[in-house]
Amino acid sequence: MIIEYTSLSQPLFNVGTFYNRRRELHGKYGGQWQGGISMPAKYPLIFLFTGETGTRYGYNDKFNLDGTFWYTGEGQKGDMEMVRGNRAIREHKQDGKEIHLFETVGKGDVRYVGRATYLDHHFEDRRDRDDRLRKAIVFELLIETELVESLTFRVDEDKSKYHTSRSFKTKSLQELRELALTQVLPTATKKEQRVNVYIRSEAIREYVLRRAEGICEGCDTKAPFINKKGKPYLEPHHLRRLSDGGPDHPEWVIALCPNCHRRVHFGKDGEEYNAQLILKLGQIETHDFD
């Protein structure tokens, strides 16, 4: 099975950039100023907003282990229904609309995560605004963190061969980086898109650890021990939190020793240290691939 890739249109928003929700999004494109799903009337766009504040109403958005992003539909009371914004997400491809995901960061600002594509949805038991158990719609989305030039690579229909990551061991660092960035066309089948998400997730992990060469990219010290596979133990860390799982991208995932990793999450200077790591990783990527 061959999956073709092609260059896509210039993105409206830059990944990782902060925008003022009212002024720069709704002021320019329109759409509802509140809520998690906004649909501008005059543009073929759907804005999705996610953040920690929604967890008290059962909105537990997160990246799943397979690399897809699980986004909770709208509806604060009772069972969620496939209407309005929920229907718009499910049928965005048929309607010719683009979905863009933003993470709320406070003070009216949001950070752009990437363009999203609907893959599937399922129902989960969640609490509503009145703390009553109800059926919540959970959308399974493919998040595109970067639009890339035309690329083609072969994907085996039997995804099980990738579970051992053997296919990545023989690839160069540059080949791993290309795999991590490559994305299928929106017209690809659900199966093709899911395989692509899985491959990207595995490729980025192998890429980050290979790039570090056994040295913590935070404190520049050797990995504290050798794991059971005989390799230096380091932990991939997503510099953009987004429910503690940020989107996989070479410029946003860094290899840290357990001490530096805990410092980011639990240290008094955790946020400041994470900001330092963002700058440092930018220099590492620029040095290796510019």
Side-chain angles (χ1 to χ4, degrees):
M1 175 175 63
I2 297 292
I3 297 178
E4 297 293 338
Y5 298 80
T6 184
S7 58
L8 301 173
S9 59
Q10 186 69 23
L12 293 174
F13 309 103
N14 297 316
V15 173
T17 298
F18 292 86
Y19 297 90
N20 181 272
R21 175 170 176 173
R22 288 202 173 193
R23 185 176 65 253
E24 297 179 90
L25 298 185
H26 303 307
K28 181 176 181 179
Y29 300 101
Q32 299 88 332
W33 290 18
Q34 295 181 333
I37 304 176
S38 179
M39 299 173 288
K42 297 182 179 180
Y43 294 87
L45 301 171
I46 301 172
F47 296 146
L48 303 184
F49 301 93
T50 183
E52 295 180 356
T53 57
T55 56
R56 56 186 167 182
Y57 298 133
Y59 294 88
N60 184 25
D61 304 335
K62 62 181 180 180
F63 274 94
N64 194 37
L65 293 177
D66 66 359
T68 58
F69 187 71
W70 287 14
Y71 183 82
T72 311
E74 65 179 2
Q76 294 187 5
K77 297 179 63 176
D79 292 342
M80 292 185 182
E81 299 178 357
M82 196 61 72
V83 296
R84 297 183 294 277
N86 294 333
R87 187 207 66 82
I89 293 176
R90 186 187 64 181
E91 300 180 11
H92 78 98
K93 284 183 283 189
Q94 299 93 302
D95 296 339
K97 295 185 177 182
E98 289 187 357
I99 299 177
H100 294 276
L101 177 65
F102 297 85
E103 179 182 19
T104 301
V105 295
K107 298 182 180 179
D109 290 333
V110 296
R111 177 168 47 203
Y112 184 55
V113 179
R115 195 167 72 171
T117 300
Y118 168 85
L119 293 178
D120 207 345
H121 70 274
H122 63 274
F123 290 88
E124 292 186 6
D125 291 331
R126 301 272 186 88
R127 297 287 178 179
D128 67 8
R129 189 178 63 185
D130 296 332
D131 201 32
R132 294 177 178 174
L133 205 60
R134 50 80 175 269
K135 295 293 183 182
I137 300 173
V138 180
F139 292 100
E140 301 168 23
L141 306 175
L142 164 67
I143 305 299
E144 301 170 7
T145 57
E146 183 171 299
L147 304 183
V148 295
E149 294 302 317
S150 179
L151 292 172
T152 303
F153 78 96
R154 187 175 299 276
V155 177
D156 195 294
E157 290 191 26
D158 181 10
K159 192 175 65 175
S160 62
K161 69 173 289 185
Y162 295 103
H163 286 312
T164 60
S165 299
R166 292 176 183 173
S167 59
F168 301 112
K169 303 301 181 184
T170 59
K171 295 187 180 299
S172 68
L173 197 64
Q174 180 62 42
E175 288 174 327
L176 288 170
R177 192 175 196 277
E178 290 177 355
L179 276 177
L181 291 174
T182 307
Q183 298 174 34
V184 296
L185 290 170
T187 53
T189 66
K190 290 182 180 180
K191 183 175 182 179
E192 290 170 340
Q193 294 185 55
R194 284 188 179 279
V195 171
N196 173 247
V197 171
Y198 181 85
I199 290 174
R200 283 166 49 194
S201 181
E202 290 293 303
I204 193 67
R205 181 179 179 83
E206 177 69 20
Y207 167 82
V208 169
L209 296 177
R210 185 94 62 84
R211 182 186 64 198
E213 297 183 324
I215 304 296
C216 173
E217 294 179 318
C219 63
D220 299 318
T221 60
K222 290 185 178 180
F225 59 88
I226 303 299
N227 64 20
K228 293 181 179 179
K229 295 181 179 180
K231 295 187 176 182
Y233 181 82
L234 294 172
E235 300 174 349
H237 165 66
H238 293 81
L239 294 167
R240 283 187 290 156
R241 287 191 61 185
L242 197 65
S243 301
D244 283 326
D248 287 332
H249 188 289
E251 296 179 358
W252 293 106
V253 185
I254 193 168
L256 300 178
C257 65
N259 188 57
C260 283
H261 203 181
R262 298 302 180 272
R263 178 182 175 183
V264 171
H265 287 288
F266 305 110
K268 184 177 180 180
D269 66 341
E271 291 187 8
E272 180 182 346
Y273 187 45
N274 195 73
Q276 294 173 9
L277 293 176
I278 291 175
L279 295 176
K280 187 172 184 179
L281 183 55
Q283 295 172 352
I284 293 173
E285 282 287 307
T286 299
H287 178 268
D288 288 345
F289 294 100
D290 263 16

